[in-house]
Each structure stands twice: as C-alpha cells, then as structure tokens.
Amino acid sequence: MQGPVVLPDDVQIVPLTELPAAVRAQLDGEDGDFALTRPHSRTPSKVIDANAAALLEQFRDPRTIVDAILAYSKSVKARPSDVLEEAYPLIESCLVARLLVEPGTASEKIQPSFAPGDRVGRHIVERPVQALIDSEVYQVRTPEGRLAALKIATRNALDEMNKLLAAESDVLRRIGGAPAPELIESGQLEDGRAYILVEWFEGEDAHTAVRRIGPGAPESVAELCAEILEAYAKLHERGVIHADVHPRNVLVSESGEVRIIDFGIARTVDSEARRAPRAGVPFFFEPEYAQAARAGVRQQEATFAGEQYGVAALVYSLLCGQYYLDFSFDKQEMLRQIAEDAPLPFAQRGAASFESLEPVVLRALRKDPAERFDTTRQLSHAFRHSLANMQTVTLLEEAISTPATRDDESQKLLDRVLAIIADSRHQLAYEGPPSPTTSLTYGSAGVAYAAYRIACVREDGRLLALADAWAERAALESGERAFFSPEIQITPETVGRVSPFHSPSGVAAVQALIANARADAFHLDAAVNRYLHVTSEDAENPDLTLGQASVLHGLTLLLESCGPEKPPTLVDRGNQICRRIQDLMESEPAIGEGDTIAYLGIAHGWAGLLYALLRWNQVLGEQASPATERRLRQLAECAHFTRRGARWPVQSRPGFVSLAGWCNGSAGFVHLWTLAHGVYRDASYLDLAERAAMDAFEQTGGGHALCCGFAGQAYAQLSLYNHTQEQRWLEQARALTAKACALGNAMLGQRNDYLPHSLYKGDVGVAVLAAEIERPEAASMPFFASEP
C-alpha cells in the first residue's frame, strides 16, 4: 500500500441518475450517489457516495494512497488523518477487488484476445462472448462445422485458471452432458493457456429469462424454477456440487431448457484429489459457511445441504424479484444476516401469487441443514407438487368460471374415457415425458381395471369384455418401459419390482378380478398363481404402494373376491407378509420418533401399514393384534386439530406440512379411521374419520386425480357416507366429483405433466368416480377399498 496504485482504464464511476431505469432499480442508492463498476470483472458493482467518488477519481493517474489522500483533503479542506480513517475500508475493498492496482499490473482494459475469424487451435472464432480478468469465452465453429463454446485462461491468471479449467473438464466429463454443457474436448493452446470446448447452448441467464417472461406469467416463472431445481437435483445425484450458485451460471433456452455452467470450483464428493477453494456470490452463501467465515475459518467446503440452500435462495430471488433478505453492504453484517436472519415472507416481497410454493422454498432456506430437505431431489419433487397445486387453483378457477353444469362436466370426462376403453388398441399417447405403458397406476392395466369397475357399477357385459381385452393387452406388453420411466422417476430403485401398483403383479391382480366377475374359475386360478409368482421376491420397502404392504393389500383384494372359499396359498403368503410387517412395527419406536418409517400417510407411511393389516384381518375374519391397536392410538395422537377438522403431518420430522389428498394427506386417513371404527366400534375413531373428511373437503387439492387430488378426496367422503349413511358426506363427495371432472376437462392439453390415461394420476380414475357417484352405495376407492 506504500507504492503508487491506479484505477484500471475501464473502471467506471457513474452517477446513479445517469443509469438506465432497469439498472438503477437493481442498485440501492440515493440520487446523489455513484455506481463504481468494472465491466467484465467478477466484482459486482458498488454504490458509493459523492465524497468516495471524488476520492477515487484521484487515482485516474498513478499515485500513492498518501498523495491521493493529501490532494483530496486539500480540495475539501479536511484533515488528512480524518479522511484516511474514514476512507480506509473503501480503499482496502478496492484493492482486494482489483479496482485499484499497481501500474502495469492488469490495469489495462479487459478485452478479448481474439476477433471473429481468428483461429484458436483447430477452431474458428465466430464471436467473443465474454472477457473477464481471468478467462475468456468465445463462440467458435469446429472443423466439423459444429458451434461450440471455447473457454480459455488469460495470461494474467495463467497458473490458477489452468488448474481450474483442468478440474472443470474432469467434472464436466463426469456429468456427461445435461444439465451441464457436453464436454467436447480440453487441453492447452500453444502459448500454454488451458482451454475447454463444450457444446454451444443458446440461452440467457436466469434473471434475464424471468424478466423476459414478465410478471404476467407467474406459472411460467415457477416452471422455470422447477427446471432449475431439477437440474441441480441431477447434478447432486451424479455426485457433483456446483459450489457457484448465482443466476448468471444458469442458462435458459427460449424453450425453457436449462444448463448449469462454470464448474471451475465444483467438487465431486467421492474424490479427495482436489479441494476447491470456496468462492461464489455472497447472496447465495449458506448459513453454515457464513458462520464459519465470521469465525475466521478459511476453508469451508461446499456440501449438498449447503448448495440446496443456495439454490433455494436463487429460486426465491427469481420468484420474488428480490433477495430473501435486505442485505447490508457491510461484509460482516451480511454474513450475520445469512447466518441468523429468517427469510422475508413472499407477501412482503409482493409475490403472493407464489404462496403455494413458499413453504417448500422456506424449508430449504432453514438455517439448520438438518431441517432442510434430505436431498435436492426431495426439494425438486416437493416444489413440483406445490407447483401442481398452484396450477390446479388457476385451472379450477377457469373451469368454475366457464358456464357448464356439473353433469355436463362429469359426462364429458366420462364419455372421453369410455371412448378410450372402447378401443383396446388405443395408443394412450399424451404430451410430456413418457410414463409406464402398462402398470396399474399409469398404463393399460389401469384402463382395464377402470373398465371392469364401470362395467360392474353399470352391469354392462360389453364393458366387462372390453376390460378383459385391455387386461390381455397389458399381459402381452413387456420391457422396462412397460412399468418404469426414468424421466418421471419411476424406476426399480424408486418403486421396486413387486408392487401391484407398479409391476406385472398388478396386471395379474386385475386379470384375477375380471375373471372373477366373469365367473371364469380357470383364468382366475391362473391369474392368482401369476400374482404369487411375481410377488415372491422380498421387498425391503414396507409401504402400501411400493413394498411388502402393497403385496399384502393385493392379496387382500384377491382373497375378498374369492368369496367364502379362501385359497390356502393366498392365506399362507398373506400371513407371512403380515408377520414381517408386525415384526417391523415391533422394532420401531413410537410413531413420530423413528426414522425407518418417516411418513405417516396411507401411500407410504404408518397409516398404510395399519390399513393393510386391518384389512387382512377383516377379510380373514380374525382379530387384529394388540400391537396394531397400540400403533393406531399413537397415530391418533399425532393429529393436529382445526376448528372442524383434523390433519396429520406428511412426515414425522421438524416442520408441519399437511396435504388433503389420498396418498399423503387427510383423504387417506378417512379410510383408515373409518375402517378402525368398523373393527373396534370406538367412537373416537369415527370422530377422527369425520374430522379428516372435513379437512380433506376444505383443503385445496393437489389436482383432480385419485392420488393427490379431488377424486381421492371425493372417495374419502363416499367411504364415510357408506359407513354412516349421513347425507352430508354424499353431498360433499358430489361437490368434489364436480371439481375433479371440471378440472380434468380444463387440463386437457394445457399441461405437459398431465397424464389423461392414468388410473391414479389422470382422467381414468376420475371417470370411475363419475360413474360410481350415480350409485354411491357401490362406490369404493379403486384398487384400494373393499369392493362391493
């Protein structure tokens, strides 16, 4: 600090009043303030007052700090010692940020080394894209005629950037393309500068993309955020931590495709070869890093949990148009804010339209990493689920505002599904990522089951014959695509290979039910044997839709359809699974205290296990074990009561999140407590069933379908109606059926995640409801409740 220093030629000190309105809006300053910036550097612009601007102008020519202080002090008639004391923090920060440098040391203007038409290695420069103090990026054309992005080190930062680019090429090679750019080649130029060549991706940074979308399209902004979360989830699943989250490192194409760029400081979790220094933009630092930095700990490695926080901070800024806190310009105060201050509510940022997404984002922004989502994939899924709710509300409002009667909407949807059923060669095509073609939940087996149920309620032999044709088609379909789809996370790792909802066992179960309805003993026996064979593999997962309880549940439905005669093979298999589930429950601590079974709901948690055991005992005519009732009592104690309702948290973990649907919410609990009341005749169980039904009726659903939406909520009301014969539950079921059908019709062709041909996720299950609501005494939740 004793020698002369100078402002680089391209450093600008500009009055805020002269800046464009869009730029001015991003800077927090008064009319008399100035913006201090160096284009193409990695240092963000600073807002300084008029006195600081006048002092820095002293460094347009090389001079020592002492000389500059003396000259400035003389011009303003102030004591030099006072000026130095006040200006020291500013001067120090400018030195660190290389806004003040030694003469001849990177003081020249930052500009590209190559011009269009120049050859760099084997490639021809099309245009410079970015020139920074340590690296340059060009659009080039390869000898093969392919457009690519070339990133090279500058001579001013040769050693460090060569290392960073070598590391970046290793990371890109590991990622293997999307959601990062595909690595084409890497190496060194003749002058020793390292380079990487990656696919050219035409896009704009995330903040620019949001501004282009505009405030009038909140769902499009939220969809972009969902794609960014998906991109980071994929990165983390490949063992890569980006470690440099900010909007300029997320590129968005015109079609909404996302690429994450700049992996120079990324780390791979299973490699000890390189420990990258922490860097990045402070607005996206995680609290644990901020706390360490405040304590003077220099090396705090990036983590998955920390990056989840940073990505959530980015999503917050995209949704709300502002950061999650009003950050101080003082470094230490900013670190304290990150470590300690709670994010501001969306409404305070003028982003009330995104309120359904707020709980998910704020959970990922919790200060304690243990209270965030376990993985970024979970965050991505939770955000998608909340986005579906947000889209549902919009579509429902549109559907309700359209003049049409309830019967018109219901008939329209039912007729559309009946037209599909009538053509057993229908391709079940839809827009969006592919779903399994055959499974009970998503494909042709689900259509067969729906045709069977509608045939039964209408006593229609033609429909039953069509159900048989669809089941036969499902039995002939094979291959991984029949039951799995990695694009929507339906894989053997996520859903297993034995569940009737997601495997060939579901096809066998549907064939057995149809054969029973047709009084075809031969094919019934053959289908039951196929079910036993397919489900012979043990499943580690215990839950009702994916694991052991799902197999037991299928056995219950098959055994129930067999009438008074109970095939010993079914009984023996069911008893074996029943004992395994009971042993697991015996080994677990009280509900809400363990980690093995973290979910509470029907599809994946304690409610589903208890429901499967009670149903099995019910069909066998046996008494449930004392352990089952003890667990029922524990689950009852987990209820949160509202004025008229009761709801349960999705998981037994910090932070209360409840849902309305069947899979993880109140609608599923209605079935459990109604069944428990029928078994034990305990009035407290009926009270819980009624309160859960009210909560399912009053909460906003997660769409129109059986799994998470209005149709599943309607079947909960029907379950209680058939149990109590109270008319209010039937009226609420009819109201929810109307909503489900109206929303299904409104969604047709409007959403790329819409699955019209799915039993549990689309219109097919809603059509069963539309048919059964006319004969409510014959209604039961498809492939779940006891069939009449």
Side-chain angles (χ1 to χ4, degrees), residues 416-447:
R416 189 166 72 245
V417 173
L418 286 173
I420 295 169
I421 291 172
D423 178 11
S424 61
R425 293 177 296 179
H426 193 285
Q427 292 303 302
L428 304 183
Y430 65 94
E431 297 193 15
S435 69
T437 60
T438 309
S439 68
L440 179 68
T441 297
Y442 289 99
S444 52
V447 177

Side-chain angles (χ1 to χ4, degrees), residues 57-190:
E57 288 290 354
Q58 297 287 328
F59 294 99
R60 285 299 179 186
D61 296 315
R63 63 176 59 194
T64 66
I65 293 172
V66 170
D67 288 343
I69 293 290
L70 290 173
Y72 173 76
S73 301
K74 184 177 181 179
S75 68
V76 298
K77 297 181 173 57
R79 292 174 58 188
S81 59
D82 294 340
V83 172
L84 179 59
E85 182 178 356
E86 186 174 345
Y88 182 84
L90 170 67
I91 293 173
E92 181 187 39
S93 67
C94 288
L95 289 167
V96 171
R98 299 186 66 76
L99 296 174
L100 286 174
V101 297
E102 295 178 23
T105 307
S107 62
E108 68 276 4
K109 182 177 180 180
I110 300 173
Q111 56 188 2
S113 304
F114 301 101
D118 288 349
R119 182 178 293 276
V120 184
R122 302 185 306 122
H123 313 293
I124 303 298
V125 173
E126 293 282 319
R127 62 183 176 90
V129 175
Q130 184 182 63
L132 297 174
I133 197 166
D134 54 6
S135 63
E136 301 168 5
V137 179
Y138 300 88
Q139 183 189 62
V140 301
R141 191 170 296 277
T142 70
E144 297 75 27
R146 179 182 182 183
L147 282 179
L150 178 73
K151 182 177 180 180
I152 61 176
T154 64
R155 294 182 178 86
N156 294 324
L158 193 61
D159 291 341
E160 181 60 24
M161 279 306 299
N162 278 3
K163 293 176 184 176
L164 292 176
L165 288 174
E168 183 167 5
S169 68
D170 291 340
V171 172
L172 290 173
R173 193 171 290 110
R174 175 182 181 129
I175 297 169
E182 175 195 353
L183 178 67
I184 300 173
E185 67 180 50
S186 62
Q188 283 194 357
L189 302 178
E190 291 182 357

Side-chain angles (χ1 to χ4, degrees), residues 85-404:
E85 182 178 356
E86 186 174 345
Y88 182 84
L90 170 67
I91 293 173
E92 181 187 39
S93 67
C94 288
L95 289 167
V96 171
R98 299 186 66 76
L99 296 174
L100 286 174
V101 297
E102 295 178 23
T105 307
S107 62
E108 68 276 4
K109 182 177 180 180
I110 300 173
Q111 56 188 2
S113 304
F114 301 101
D118 288 349
R119 182 178 293 276
V120 184
R122 302 185 306 122
H123 313 293
I124 303 298
V125 173
E126 293 282 319
R127 62 183 176 90
V129 175
Q130 184 182 63
L132 297 174
I133 197 166
D134 54 6
S135 63
E136 301 168 5
V137 179
Y138 300 88
Q139 183 189 62
V140 301
R141 191 170 296 277
T142 70
E144 297 75 27
R146 179 182 182 183
L147 282 179
L150 178 73
K151 182 177 180 180
I152 61 176
T154 64
R155 294 182 178 86
N156 294 324
L158 193 61
D159 291 341
E160 181 60 24
M161 279 306 299
N162 278 3
K163 293 176 184 176
L164 292 176
L165 288 174
E168 183 167 5
S169 68
D170 291 340
V171 172
L172 290 173
R173 193 171 290 110
R174 175 182 181 129
I175 297 169
E182 175 195 353
L183 178 67
I184 300 173
E185 67 180 50
S186 62
Q188 283 194 357
L189 302 178
E190 291 182 357
D191 60 5
R193 288 192 282 172
Y195 74 89
I196 58 172
L197 187 74
V198 301
E199 67 165 324
W200 179 258
F201 183 80
E202 192 68 50
E204 55 196 356
D205 71 80
H207 270 167
T208 302
V210 167
R211 287 195 291 272
R212 174 177 52 80
I213 293 170
E219 289 184 21
S220 297
V221 173
E223 184 67 38
L224 170 58
C225 291
E227 290 298 320
I228 292 171
L229 290 172
E230 173 68 18
Y232 272 97
K234 288 180 178 177
L235 272 191
H236 290 183
E237 287 169 344
R238 295 173 195 179
V240 174
I241 301 173
H242 183 220
D244 197 7
V245 176
H246 63 78
R248 294 189 303 280
N249 277 344
V250 177
L251 294 184
V252 183
S253 72
E254 190 173 342
S255 64
E257 193 176 358
V258 167
R259 289 289 186 277
I260 301 170
I261 62 171
D262 201 348
F263 288 85
I265 59 172
R267 62 177 289 248
T268 54
V269 295
D270 56 359
S271 174
E272 299 293 329
R274 173 176 174 267
R275 296 297 188 187
R278 284 303 300 268
V281 175
F283 304 128
F284 308 102
F285 285 166
E286 66 271 28
E288 48 270 36
Y289 174 69
Q291 193 69 7
R294 290 176 74 199
V297 178
R298 288 179 172 272
Q299 186 69 23
Q300 181 77 14
E301 289 187 338
T303 64
F304 288 129
E307 186 146 285
Q308 180 187 140
Y309 186 98
V311 177
L314 171 60
V315 167
Y316 183 109
S317 71
L318 297 176
L319 295 174
C320 298
Q322 301 176 69
Y323 298 122
Y324 66 93
L325 290 170
D326 292 326
F327 287 112
S328 169
F329 282 96
D330 179 76
K331 176 182 177 182
Q332 288 302 315
E333 173 60 13
M334 183 182 189
L335 291 174
R336 187 206 62 77
Q337 289 177 296
I338 296 169
E340 299 176 3
D341 290 357
L344 296 171
F346 278 26
Q348 195 168 325
R349 293 305 202 192
S353 58
F354 296 114
E355 63 181 356
S356 62
L357 307 174
E358 184 173 12
V360 175
V361 177
L362 294 190
R363 177 176 171 183
L365 285 173
R366 288 181 181 169
K367 303 302 179 184
D368 183 352
E371 294 182 0
R372 298 171 203 154
F373 292 92
D374 290 343
T375 64
T376 307
R377 169 61 63 200
Q378 287 186 8
L379 166 59
S380 175
H381 280 170
F383 190 91
R384 272 285 179 197
H385 184 86
S386 296
L387 175 56
N389 284 347
M390 174 181 163
Q391 293 168 327
T392 292
V393 170
T394 303
L395 290 168
L396 181 58
E397 288 172 351
E398 293 173 357
I400 290 174
S401 65
T402 303

Side-chain angles (χ1 to χ4, degrees), residues 465-542:
L466 285 168
D468 193 42
W470 274 95
E472 184 65 23
R473 164 181 163 171
L476 292 173
E477 292 173 344
S478 61
E480 288 288 296
R481 283 288 179 186
F483 298 97
F484 305 117
S485 171
E487 290 83 354
I488 58 173
Q489 287 78 53
I490 304 298
T491 65
E493 292 72 28
T494 58
V495 301
R497 293 187 179 274
V498 297
S499 166
F501 291 95
H502 297 285
S503 82
S505 69
V507 178
V510 171
Q511 286 185 302
L513 294 172
I514 294 171
N516 180 66
R518 291 166 61 89
D520 184 347
F522 175 80
H523 285 101
L524 171 60
D525 186 60
V528 166
N529 287 333
R530 279 197 298 277
Y531 183 88
L532 291 170
H533 173 72
V534 173
T535 59
S536 59
E537 178 183 330
D538 287 337
E540 292 184 8
N541 193 330

Side-chain angles (χ1 to χ4, degrees), residues 124 323 411 461 499 651 677 762 772:
I124 303 298
Y323 298 122
Q411 196 60 51
S499 166
Q651 294 189 64
H677 181 253
E772 292 189 339

